Amino acid sequence: MSLLGTLFNLKGTFRHGVHPDPHKQQTVDLRIQRVPFSERYVMPLGQHIGVPAKPVVEKGQSLTRGELIAEPGAFMSTALHSPVTGRVAAIEACRYTDGSFKPAIVIEADPYATQQFQPQPPVDWEALSIDEFIQQVQRAGIVGMGGAAFPAHVKFSIPEGQRIDNVLINGAECEPYLTNDHRLMVERPAAVIRGAEIVRRKLGARRATIGVEDNKPDAIATLQTELGDEPVDIVGLPMKYPQGAEKMLIKAIYDIEVPAGQLPRDCGIVVNNVGTVVAIADWFDSGMPLIERVVTVSGPGINYPANLIVPLGTPLRDLLKFCGGLSDDTREVISGGPMMGAPIASLDVPVLKGTSGVLAFTESETSRPREYPCIHCGRCLDACPYFLNPSRFARLAKARLYDEMKEINVLDCVECGACTFACPSSIPIVQHIRTAKDNLRHQHRRSHSE
Amino acid sequence: MKQQRDPKLLVQPAPLLAQGMTTPSAMRDVWYALLPATLAGLWFFGLSALLVLLACIAGAVMVEWVFTPAESRKVALGDGSAALTGLLLGLTLPPALPLWQAFLGGMVAIGLGKVIWGGLGNNLFNPALVGRAFLLGTFPIAMTTWYPAQGPEHFFDLYSSTFAAPLMQGTWDSLTTASPLGMMKFEHQSSEFWSLFIGNTAGSLGETSGLLLMLGGLWLWWRRDLDWRIPVSIFVTAGLFSLILFMVDSARFPSPLFTLFSGGMMLGAIYMATDPVTSPLSPKGLLIFGTGIGFLVVLIRVFGGMPEGMMYAILLMNSATPLIDRYTQPRVFGRGVERS
Amino acid sequence: MQDLIWIFIGAMLVNNFVLAYFLGLCPFLGVSGRLETSFRLGLATTFVLLITAICSWFLNTYVLIYAPYLRLISFIVVIASTVQFIEMAIKKLSPALFKALGIFLPLITTNCAILGLAIFATNRGYGFLEGVTFALGAGAGFTLAMVLMAGMREETEIVDVPVLIRGTAINLIIAGILSMAFMGFAGLFSSS
Amino acid sequence: MAISGKDASAYDEMIKGIWRDNPVFVQVLGMCPMLAVTNSAINAMTMGLATLFVLVGSSALVSLFRNLIPKQVRISLYIIIIATFVTVIDYTLLALVPAIHKELGAFIPLIVANCMILGRQEAFAGKHSVRFAVMDAIGMAGGFLFAMLVLGSIREILGSGSLFGIDLLGVNFDPWVIMILPPGGFLTLGLILLFFNWVTARRRQFLEQVVATERGNV
Amino acid sequence: MSMQQQTPQVAEPSPQKLALSVAFAGLISGLVIISIFEATLPTITANKAAELKAAVFKVLPGVASMKKLQYSDGGLSERTQEGADEDTVYGGYNQQGDLVGYAVAGEGPGFQDTIKLLYGYLPEQRKIVGMEILDSRETPGLGDKIFKDKDFVANFDGLAVDPQIKAVKKGSKSAPYEIDAITGATISSKAVVRIINGAHAKWDKRL
Ligand SMILES: Cc1cc2nc3c(=O)[nH]c(=O)nc-3n(C[C@H](O)[C@H](O)[C@H](O)COP(=O)(O)O)c2cc1C
Ligand SMILES: Cc1cc2nc3c(=O)[nH]c(=O)nc-3n(C[C@H](O)[C@H](O)[C@H](O)COP(=O)(O)O)c2cc1C
Ligand SMILES: Cc1cc2nc3c(=O)[nH]c(=O)nc-3n(C[C@H](O)[C@H](O)[C@H](O)COP(=O)(O)O)c2cc1C
Ligand SMILES: Cc1cc2nc3c(=O)[nH]c(=O)nc-3n(C[C@H](O)[C@H](O)[C@H](O)CO)c2cc1C
Ligand code: SF4
Ligand code: SF4
Ligand code: SF4
Ligand code: SF4
Ligand code: FES
């Protein structure tokens, strides 16, 4: 902890950041429910960066719930399993959350099946070598559940010569509205701790730490009571966005600043979302691959907000129907949280491995004040957890001076949106930053292809 | 469950939340914060003062209206910043300034101070002070002719100079007096703290009441419309500098309290140095900016030719703002740290 | 001592060569586009001003009292050749310094700030020490104006200055407002 | 520097300096004297005429001897020639109009440093016959004089209420002191340049429109 | 006539030739300069002398002739040679050739720039009888009142120098050693006073 922090007895946290209204009360006390099965499921083959999975089923083939339907296409790729018992209806391009069409396996649920899940034979994880463990995680189709859906097994592949000392479980859940991680910690504390323990033991780390924001006292308390003699710490953190961004969480908990361009593992740390470790625990305990996840459905446009266990591939329309449908004044539906999530253009898109929430916003949340010129007020600088200069980014982007932006480290930006949130002139700074990054990437590619 | 049609969905880029404050609301807050001090100015200086304010605002808004392309006029005028510039300019003027000069000042403030730079947010110098510096350089006599604060019983007594014909000089009656700063500079005569605090002294029409200006500033700070670093660093620097001088020779140099409560110190430090557009971005930059202003004010007031230096100090530091911004860029997270 | 302070402050702030005397406007308007360049040009100019002060003192004391009509020509010739000579010396002695400042030297020698300094110093009858102080003050003032200008110009390039105003027009307006701000220094250390 | 085609007359050379290639408004040369001495019309005129004398004289001389001047030392020779003319005009003004000379002060000798003059020698007089060189010099210096007069008149009228010392606006006029102070010089010239840009842009727009409508008609 | 006529390309001239051409140009230029100098010198000298005389006569009313005096070795003597003007004053004499008073020059910082002035001083009466600004760059319309404002200049007619002259707010002049400052140009007024006091302190004992 910094000197100042010690002086004022501040709890460990990172500097800067913003305090959006958490809006969690709508769902925070609702137990996780299971949604009924839909008729149709869409499983896009590529749900994360890296290589899409390769289908191992054919059109018309019948499937049981939990059966492998696509295998990893490469190391940077994960397996897919059928979320329902049914039949492959098609392998075709389907609408993806970002509006584009991507190849996907479409499954028609068997309305008469029991939807009983067929467990794969459990594996004794303690006996596995680290390489076998990584293979297992890849086979189980487990990716990061914190949003980016980064293949978990890639994270666990620690290069020769590096040592992992700490496993950090990310229970911050700093995005407003979302309560899926919170509920998971309250309702399945044992699975969280067990998952953390599996990862810790397999990576040979000394300790595991679960970081939870202070606004979830019940989660902290439950985890604490569930704790045996495992070397696991549960740390409360002051509420602040983006506490959950891994480098910020590391700063908050270990007071370590991961150098730009390096990964947490370069500092001996692996960060996993609570959902990710629960999925790992489930796979090794009961042989259930990643075929469903917890999703928070909330927002003022939702008639009955809920925390739900949703089979992957469920169309959002069905999910929303289960929650009483959208209210008539809904203007915007978001996949993910309001700060980093993506508004979707059509309700046809499915729930993906990385979908942590579905929010519906009405007029009063979506109407934004008109954009005014930047008045140089500096709020965006005070917000940026990376200590960047978003105001200058926006000005340079408008003048199309992308190389100058690169010089002032625009590529360090994680697009957390804190700057845009703070801007009184409603300047879409993050949007400008994305444009600049796209341009720089294209430039980069062009200069490489030459 | 009724089958409903999908609503037409908006797709805006994330983040989809924003904190409540907006640029027009910040401008509006400054208006509210200035209201008490403005009313006090009218109380002390009467109808002429009101007319001066209106003339400035009219000049400012007119130029903004004429030079803004029709399609963005609504935005440009709607944010209220042009009128705010006019008000702030007016508050720094002598109450008996001929109205045509006040109007001209408003025009120059927006014309040279803002429109030429491309409008709100692009100017490097504080527009209101550009207007005032122009007026002071152009009509130095009218701009340094002060009348004592009177009171509401004289509200309708207009100064004889107020209605001077355009381009012509005003006539001054014998009531003119020196401002507290002028008395300090030329007679080494300090004024009573209490009247500086309340504001019944000669001076610019909105700068005299330290108390009301400070209250407005506190409110703005509480509303998070201004950064405390600028006023505080100005007060601390100016106070310390003048304390040192005062200890050297208390007959010749003003006391720190006099320094802080006389002239445009309060108005400038709280409402003009804090103009976000023309002040640096980063916290460290703001402190450097404020320190520079505090130092320059005392330097100009005590060792320079002008009795008052607030305006020049702010304009000079405005000119250094790009440099300050450049050299106070905070260290980017994760840059310049050793791999642990 | 008091006099020297006044000469220095006077030349730097009160009667800034660029902003009050209008000397050296060509580099001020032409070369102030980049901060780095401006600063180095300012240093190089200060250096040449210093040489000029020394040369002109020498000429005034030993040559011009006999032939006042040669003032202009001798200033030009002596300053230009001295600077050229020093330029060669620097190139030999310190290539790094030459790289930093040297490229500007030929540009500066014909500039009116240099000649102006020589003429002003003569007209005012400055002695050696006064002349050197004057040159240092003028150089500091020139550098200050250049650097402030460059900072602001770099900024105007990324803001939405209307096309009609871009270029020399906005630079002159900036200079005008800056000059207005420098009026605040009037009378510094000359009163009381 | 654009040199017009073979058929361009000497007259053309002269006229273009005054408006199209105006050294101040278009080429932005000779700024220092331009701003320093234009605080009254009479000063501006004197300075403009002195510059005219120096420019025309040295252009004529340079062009006359252009075949004799060795290329390697031409700049030094140009400067010597210019400095000679400047010294001549300096002493002449000092003898004839001491009051104005005092106001112009150091700026008469500074004509030597005026980049416009050396520039014309280098770009034009050194390469052209005497007739053309003189016409060009008159044109350029005329343009300079014109600019000086415009600026000087504006500054004097607003700043003192008079023109060439003749009171225009009456005793009650409140002079705009700043106009005769340094900032007034910068700001006025900036605004004049802005005006120049505006006129040029408008003219271009107009011509484009004409071209467009003609195309439409065809 | 061809417009594109170029300087003919000659073979590289020798350094001697280059130096010679520069020297030749220098010679010609020197000749021209000397002749114009010689031609204008009488007028210029006469102008300067007339200007000085006018100024001296103005600050010392009733004077018919003047002499330039130099202070050296504890006494004043007439100065004849040209050159630096340090330690010189001008003596003013009446019709009869008797010394009336001295015109003393002084200079110092004003509001903008150095102010140079001349004042007339009567040693017997210990009074200043006139003041003339020789050179100043004070603000037009404000500071330039130190020579344009007749009321201000009139202050220096019959102004006592003891104990020291002093500028006071306009209209409040009460003692013989006080002057009314110019409203709005207090600094310039005080600068004039300070310059005179400085010069007087230097010359008081000498005259
Ligand atoms: C701005 C930002 C905010 C984030 N917020 C959270 C969060 O609240 N909870 C979370 O688990 N991950 C969050 N993440 C993702 C984490 O950085 C990190 O990728 C994740 O915890 C790693 O775990 P996973 O790979 O198991 O998902 C956030 C990332 C960013 C860039
Ligand atoms: C190209 C790439 C390679 C990565 N490789 C690794 C890795 O080898 N090990 C690891 O622990 N994390 C790795 N990461 C994961 C990141 O540290 C981070 O957890 C992931 O991008 C999700 O971050 P987010 O949820 O904060 O956006 C990699 C990320 C990217 C983009
Ligand atoms: C542009 C400008 C020019 C000024 N010029 C002078 C000047 O030349 N001489 C002077 O004494 N005061 C000048 N002043 C005024 C001084 O700053 C100061 O206000 C004045 O001397 C105070 O005098 P007062 O107390 O009599 O009003 C000028 C002020 C301004 C704004
Ligand atoms: C706290 C605050 C202070 C301001 N101060 C000034 C000021 O001193 N002068 C001014 O012209 N505008 C001021 N403005 C308004 C606005 O920023 C100004 O019109 C811009 O400088 C125009 O680009 C202020 C606005 C805020 C929010
Ligand atoms: S989006 Fe980028 S620039 Fe903006 S606050 Fe987040 S990290 Fe900083
Ligand atoms: S470019 Fe930046 S924000 Fe985008 S995926 Fe890569 S690291 Fe994340
Ligand atoms: S918060 Fe918005 S208005 Fe303020 S400096 Fe940043 S971009 Fe500009
Ligand atoms: S003196 Fe040099 S920099 Fe200035 S305009 Fe002439 S050529 Fe350009
Ligand atoms: S630097 Fe003064 S004219 Fe070029």
Side-chain angles (χ1 to χ4, degrees), chain C residues 58-118:
Chain C
F58 180 82
L59 285 172
N60 276 326
T61 321
Y62 296 106
V63 179
L64 297 183
I65 43 168
Y66 308 109
Y69 42 82
L70 284 185
R71 193 173 71 160
L72 197 50
I73 288 215
S74 64
F75 278 165
I76 295 180
V77 172
V78 172
I79 294 167
S81 37
T82 313
V83 170
Q84 196 129 52
F85 181 74
I86 291 176
E87 189 189 335
M88 289 190 303
I90 294 182
K91 202 169 178 177
K92 274 237 177 66
L93 296 176
S94 163
L97 188 65
F98 181 77
K99 221 171 144 196
L101 301 182
I103 46 166
F104 296 114
L105 292 179
L107 204 92
I108 298 166
T109 32
T110 53
N111 152 311
C112 56
I114 306 300
L115 195 57
L117 180 99

Side-chain angles (χ1 to χ4, degrees), chain A residues 384-386 390 413-419 430 433:
Chain A
C384 180
Y386 277 84
C413 164
V414 297
E415 298 175 18
C416 69
C419 50
V430 185
I433 292 175

Side-chain angles (χ1 to χ4, degrees), chain A residues 144-398:
Chain A
M145 311 282 268
F150 186 80
H153 67 281
V154 179
K155 236 184 227 189
F156 298 146
S157 319
I158 308 303
E160 208 59 43
Q162 270 189 358
R163 247 189 68 81
I164 298 302
D165 294 322
N166 289 293
V167 170
L168 179 53
I169 308 304
N170 187 344
E173 198 160 62
C174 56
E175 278 268 12
Y177 289 98
L178 300 187
T179 53
N180 52 317
D181 287 351
H182 184 175
R183 291 311 305 175
L184 210 49
M185 288 185 282
V186 171
E187 295 180 30
R188 302 194 57 200
V192 174
I193 289 169
R194 192 167 155 72
E197 194 53 16
I198 296 175
V199 176
R200 182 189 76 77
R201 296 259 301 268
K202 285 288 107 181
L203 295 183
R206 277 187 295 110
R207 288 197 83 79
T209 312
I210 307 179
V212 187
E213 280 195 352
D214 275 353
N215 60 343
K216 311 174 188 52
D218 49 343
I220 298 177
T222 332
L223 286 170
Q224 213 92 49
T225 52
E226 210 48 50
L227 204 55
D229 46 8
E230 300 93 345
V232 176
D233 306 311
I234 293 146
V235 180
L237 300 161
M239 231 170 81
K240 189 153 78 170
Y241 180 85
Q243 188 95 258
E246 57 188 8
K247 289 190 180 177
M248 295 305 130
L249 195 63
I250 291 170
K251 170 79 186 159
I253 289 185
Y254 304 115
D255 196 23
I256 289 174
E257 203 171 314
V258 181
Q262 294 191 11
L263 295 168
R265 66 168 188 222
D266 297 316
C267 299
I269 301 164
V270 161
V271 186
N272 276 124
N273 175 251
V274 286
T276 315
V277 290
V278 168
I280 289 172
D282 283 349
W283 169 250
F284 289 109
D285 288 349
S286 58
M288 185 176 80
L290 188 61
I291 53 170
E292 56 189 26
R293 66 157 297 148
V294 183
V295 178
T296 299
V297 184
S298 181
I302 300 285
N303 288 333
Y304 301 105
N307 296 305
L308 302 170
I309 291 189
V310 186
L312 300 177
T314 307
L316 288 198
R317 176 174 290 107
D318 295 348
L319 186 63
L320 291 169
K321 208 189 282 167
F322 177 75
C323 294
L326 295 171
S327 66
D328 291 336
D329 52 354
T330 299
R331 300 282 313 277
E332 198 167 50
V333 175
I334 303 155
S335 154
M339 297 297 285
M340 291 198 64
I344 53 172
S346 150
L347 298 184
D348 290 334
V349 302
V351 168
L352 304 174
K353 290 181 178 177
T355 308
S356 46
V358 178
L359 308 178
F361 278 5
T362 59
E363 185 65 37
S364 59
E365 289 79 35
T366 51
S367 70
R368 293 200 209 170
R370 153 201 326 276
E371 182 180 342
Y372 285 90
C374 169
I375 56 165
H376 227 244
C377 64
R379 276 154 203 271
C380 50
L381 272 83
D382 283 346
C384 180
Y386 277 84
F387 286 69
L388 297 164
N389 188 338
S391 155
R392 206 165 170 84
F393 287 156
R395 283 184 185 221
L396 288 170
K398 277 187 191 164

Side-chain angles (χ1 to χ4, degrees), chain A residues 49 340 410-415 437 441:
Chain A
I49 58 163
M340 291 198 64
V410 70
L411 294 179
D412 286 12
C413 164
V414 297
E415 298 175 18
K437 281 184 178 174
R441 253 194 299 275

Side-chain angles (χ1 to χ4, degrees), chain B residues 136-137 140 144 182 186 305-307 312, chain C residues 183, chain D residues 177 181, chain E residues 111-112 138-139 142-144 182-189:
Chain B
L136 182 58
T144 50
F186 300 112
M306 314 274 182
Y312 290 114
Chain C
M183 273 169 52
Chain D
V177 178
L181 297 180
Chain E
F111 182 76
Q112 277 292 342
E138 303 298 278
T139 314
L142 264 187
D144 68 355
I182 301 165
T183 325
T186 313
I187 309 259
S188 306
S189 319

Side-chain angles (χ1 to χ4, degrees), chain C residues 6 14-15 21 69 73 187 190, chain E residues 37 109-113 137 194:
Chain C
W6 193 72
V14 183
N15 291 307
Y21 280 170
Y69 42 82
I73 288 215
S190 70
Chain E
F37 179 67
F111 182 76
Q112 277 292 342
D113 216 333
R137 272 189 72 238
R194 198 173 49 246

Side-chain angles (χ1 to χ4, degrees), chain B residues 272-283:
Chain B
M272 312 193 94
T274 52
D275 175 10
V277 176
T278 54
S279 55
L281 278 166
S282 67

